[in-house]
Amino acid sequence: MSKPIYVINGPNLNLLGHREPEIYGHETLGDVERTCADLARHHQLELRFFQSNAEHELIDWIQEAREAAAGIIINPAAYSHTSIAILDALRACSFPVLEVHVSNIHQREPFRHHSHMSARADGVIVGCGTQGYELAVLRMARLLSAGR
């Protein structure tokens, strides 16, 4: 694979493993990155990881990915429910986009039940804990091998 997959994480995911472990578990974002990088190598994929609490940085990375990446795996976190700007940036991408949420957003507060990003995502993985990232890597490998 000549182009990497961008794995983009939104606000507060830098606190994964420390913030509300009863909801998000004990694995850190670093743990997720290591596990996913190993899995990606097995499928001849390269991953580039990003995390920011700033909406404009997420948008900048999505726009960069349009030319530099083969696909995006994104956990927009709280921006899922509020950011039309991130959705618009994702809509400008012609490659696969997968959305991941560690918790099951449909079992949480009502304001979390709707994700704007799902309107663009080629797949949405929710409620599988940090394993959702691994599932997204596997799905991305399948999509890319099928020429999507």
Side-chain angles (χ1 to χ4, degrees):
M1 172 77 33
S2 59
K3 292 183 176 182
I5 308 307
Y6 278 32
V7 182
I8 300 175
N9 289 283
N12 297 311
L13 286 163
N14 56 309
L15 301 177
L16 196 61
H18 307 286
R19 173 182 169 244
E20 298 179 279
E22 67 280 0
I23 295 174
Y24 300 108
H26 295 281
E27 286 186 288
T28 67
L29 195 55
D31 295 333
V32 170
E33 289 177 9
R34 283 186 291 281
T35 300
C36 288
D38 289 344
L39 181 60
R41 274 191 295 279
H42 179 73
H43 291 277
Q44 290 80 47
L45 295 174
E46 175 191 351
L47 303 180
R48 290 192 58 204
F49 294 91
F50 305 89
Q51 187 281 323
S52 180
N53 296 320
E55 182 179 30
H56 74 279
E57 288 184 356
L58 302 176
I59 293 166
D60 288 345
W61 291 325
I62 293 166
Q63 290 180 359
E64 175 187 311
R66 291 181 65 233
E67 300 297 324
I72 290 176
I73 296 170
I74 186 167
N75 182 342
Y79 288 133
S80 304
H81 321 295
T82 63
S83 182
I84 302 304
I86 292 174
L87 170 61
D88 287 346
L90 290 171
R91 282 189 167 153
C93 298
S94 60
F95 48 60
V97 173
L98 299 174
E99 180 181 0
V100 174
H101 295 281
V102 175
S103 68
N104 184 342
I105 61 174
H106 306 291
Q107 291 181 338
R108 299 196 54 204
E109 306 91 338
F111 69 86
R112 295 185 196 273
H113 293 183
H114 177 76
S115 169
H116 293 291
M117 305 319 123
S118 297
R120 167 56 184 91
D122 296 289
V124 180
I125 300 167
V126 300
C128 295
T130 56
Q131 184 186 19
Y133 287 92
E134 297 169 56
L135 297 171
V137 170
L138 292 172
R139 181 65 183 150
M140 185 65 73
R142 175 80 54 95
L143 290 171
L144 295 175
S145 71
R148 168 66 177 89

